């Protein structure tokens, strides 16, 4: 691929227990009128600290709105009809990945500046130029590509450390996919500057999870904000987000995900999977599928060792998937973006075999 004119906007962030103190300085060139949009629980946790921080600035809050219960275009359309959204200069997206992804699409369609305020360390949505959208039945609807990520991401470690453990746990599973997926997806591609950059940053994603992951989970449970915890939070939200922005070129190129997310996206056709398990939890098993496909057995052993210690899924049964349901996953896969995110053409037979081989490996642990 040859490119001469293009723009790359990389994520900017503030992290710490006093991260919201930077709001006034960071937002000062983007207008005065703010609408806050987020999840119900997220707003319960972050609304007052946000309002307290905003009170120290000259920003005006026009409204605090619930984003909905999922990242759907129906919720996007509803929010776009809100007067507070129409009148705002800035949108503050508050919550987890689906809340912030909804806000991304709203901000893009309304041509507003978006600032992200994650209340969970569950994925890289707060720092990517990509929104993962779903249908009303919770099945995967597709990706929405943006020109740039949120203008700035404010990571309040006190709020992150007070979030439900399961989301942080799943966030590690999701982040574990970034390096191996982006490397595999881009292996046969032309490595121009931006993709080279993404591949290089990707090498900073897996090692911190293997090194600090178990300790970070223990610290999170103890509600202790430690060096290990902050390293893993930055890995989940920022490092993987940087890779995403460097490996996603909208309709021109896409090397941001591969077999781990293909397994997740295809598995959403099974109600018990998508309703009973978290995104990062399912992706975690998808990492074993990818490493099996790519014959990275030494790394697979290292990842699986962490999985066993920290109770990540290593078998299909851990995700409530029966052997006779794998065909449904495989049949859904060819329609997905990730179907072509491999160096060699994918087939249903190959995809099914590596799923079953990963399951067999997991059962042997």
């Amino acid at each position: 691929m040859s490119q001469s004119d293009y723009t790359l906007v990389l994520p900017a962030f503030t992290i710490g227990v006093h991260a919201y103190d930077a709001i006034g300085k960071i937002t000062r060139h983007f207008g005065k009128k703010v609408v806050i949009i987020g999840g119900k629980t997220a707003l319960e946790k972050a609304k007052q600290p946000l309002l307290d921080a905003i009170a120290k600035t000259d920003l005006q809050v026009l409204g605090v709105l619930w984003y909905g219960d999922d990242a759907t275009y129906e919720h996007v359309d509803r929010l776009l009809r809100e007067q507070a959204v129409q009148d705002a200069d800035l949108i503050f997206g508050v919550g987890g990945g689906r809340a912030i992804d909804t806000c991304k699409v709203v901000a893009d369609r309304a041509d507003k500046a978006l600032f992200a305020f994650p209340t969970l360390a569950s994925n890289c949505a707060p720092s990517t130029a990509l929104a993962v959208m779903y249908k009303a039945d919770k099945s995967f609807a597709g990706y929405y590509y943006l020109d740039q990520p949120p203008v700035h991401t404010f990571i309040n470690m006190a709020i992150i450390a007070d979030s439900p453990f399961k989301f942080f746990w799943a966030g590690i599973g999701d982040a574990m996919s970034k390096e191996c997926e982006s490397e595999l997806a881009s292996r046969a591609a032309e490595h121009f500057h931006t993709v080279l950059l993404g591949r290089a940053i990707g090498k900073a994603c897996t090692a911190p999870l293997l090194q600090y992951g178990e300790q970070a989970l223990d610290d999170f449970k103890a509600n202790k904000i430690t060096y290990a915890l902050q390293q893993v939070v930055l890995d989940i939200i920022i490092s993987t987000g940087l890779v995403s922005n460097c490996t996603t070129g909208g309709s021109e190129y896409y090397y941001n995900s591969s077999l781990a997310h293909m397994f997740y996206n295809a598995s959403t056709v099974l109600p018990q999977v998508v309703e009973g398990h978290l995104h990062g939890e399912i992706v975690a098993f998808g990492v074993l599928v990818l490493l099996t496909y790519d014959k990275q057995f030494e790394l697979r052993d290292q990842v699986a060792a962490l999985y066993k210690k920290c109770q990540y899924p290593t078998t299909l049964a851990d995700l409530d998937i029966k052997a006779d349901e794998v065909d449904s996953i495989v049949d859904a896969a060819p329609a997905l973006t990730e179907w072509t995110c491999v160096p060699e053409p994918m087939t249903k037979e190959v995809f099914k075999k590596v799923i079953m081989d990963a399951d067999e490996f997991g059962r042997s642990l």
Side-chain angles (χ1 to χ4, degrees):
M1 177 177 180
S2 177
Q3 289 196 351
S4 58
D5 295 85
Y6 66 96
T7 299
L8 173 65
V9 180
L10 294 179
F13 68 93
T14 301
I15 188 168
V17 294
H18 304 296
Y20 292 176
D21 290 349
I23 289 173
K25 182 177 181 181
I26 297 297
T27 64
R28 66 189 185 280
H29 300 306
F30 293 89
K32 305 297 183 187
K33 295 178 288 186
V34 177
V35 61
I36 299 171
I37 304 173
K40 286 182 177 177
T41 303
L43 290 172
E44 288 175 6
K45 293 288 183 71
K47 178 182 173 181
Q48 198 55 54
L50 255 180
L51 293 177
D52 290 345
I54 291 170
K56 301 173 185 176
T57 72
D58 57 0
L59 295 170
Q60 175 190 359
V61 178
L62 302 184
V64 180
L65 307 175
W66 178 49
Y67 90 100
D69 58 357
D70 210 343
T72 68
Y73 290 109
E74 289 82 1
H75 288 312
V76 169
D77 292 340
R78 174 182 56 79
L79 287 164
L80 287 170
R81 292 192 293 268
E82 291 279 355
Q83 195 64 47
V85 173
Q86 295 174 17
D87 292 343
D89 302 311
L90 304 83
I91 294 175
F92 283 7
V94 182
R98 299 196 186 205
I100 291 176
D101 277 355
T102 302
C103 291
K104 287 181 194 172
V105 182
V106 170
D108 186 60
R109 291 188 171 178
D111 196 23
K112 312 285 185 180
L114 174 65
F115 296 82
F117 296 83
T119 56
L120 310 168
S122 58
N123 53 57
C124 60
S127 64
T128 64
L130 174 75
V132 183
M133 302 302 290
Y134 294 87
K135 299 175 184 177
D137 65 1
K138 298 190 180 299
S139 64
F140 177 65
Y143 297 124
Y144 184 100
Y145 300 104
L146 301 103
D147 293 331
Q148 63 183 58
V151 177
H152 200 90
T153 301
F154 296 88
I155 307 170
N156 186 316
M157 284 298 297
I159 291 175
I160 295 289
D162 191 42
S163 63
F165 173 80
K166 64 180 182 179
F167 294 118
F168 177 62
W169 172 79
I172 291 177
D174 191 43
M176 191 67 78
S177 71
K178 187 58 67 176
E179 179 177 349
C180 62
E181 284 198 290
S182 59
E183 193 282 326
L184 182 66
S186 63
R187 189 177 294 167
E190 179 184 346
H191 295 164
F192 62 94
H193 175 268
T194 303
V195 174
L196 275 173
L197 186 61
R199 285 169 61 93
I201 299 171
K203 295 183 184 302
C205 291
T206 303
L209 301 177
L210 294 174
Q211 181 176 357
Y212 298 115
E214 185 179 7
Q215 183 62 54
L217 288 165
D218 289 342
D219 293 342
F220 193 100
K221 284 181 179 177
N223 196 28
K224 293 164 56 178
I225 301 172
T226 64
Y227 177 82
L229 178 60
Q230 185 154 308
Q231 296 311 295
V232 174
V233 168
L234 283 168
D235 195 321
I236 294 168
I237 297 177
I238 299 300
S239 298
T240 59
L242 285 164
V243 177
S244 176
N245 285 282
C246 290
T247 56
T248 303
S251 61
E252 295 187 54
Y253 63 91
Y254 182 85
Y255 310 126
N256 183 43
S257 57
S258 183
L259 297 193
H261 274 80
M262 184 161 82
F263 177 82
Y264 165 76
N265 290 330
S267 75
T268 64
V269 301
L270 300 176
Q272 79 275 15
V273 179
V274 71
E275 292 172 8
H277 301 275
L278 296 168
H279 171 95
E281 179 185 1
I282 304 167
V283 170
F285 179 78
V287 170
L288 299 182
V289 173
L290 183 153
L291 296 176
T292 300
Y293 167 84
D294 205 31
K295 297 181 172 58
Q296 294 194 54
F297 301 126
E298 183 178 349
L299 178 57
R300 187 181 69 174
D301 288 346
Q302 294 177 48
V303 171
L306 176 68
Y307 283 7
K308 291 301 288 185
K309 287 180 182 178
C310 302
Q311 298 182 305
Y312 289 95
T314 58
T315 68
L316 291 170
D318 291 338
L319 296 173
D320 299 311
I321 299 172
K322 299 181 178 66
D324 61 5
E325 293 177 312
V326 172
D327 283 338
S328 296
I329 296 174
V330 172
D331 288 342
L336 299 171
T337 300
E338 288 82 6
W339 186 253
T340 59
C341 294
V342 286
E344 302 291 337
M346 179 57 65
T347 68
K348 288 185 178 181
E349 292 75 20
V350 168
F351 188 41
K352 181 175 181 178
K353 183 177 188 307
V354 294
I355 291 173
M356 301 310 296
D357 286 351
D359 178 62
E360 182 179 358
F361 164 73
R363 286 186 280 111
S364 73
L365 296 173

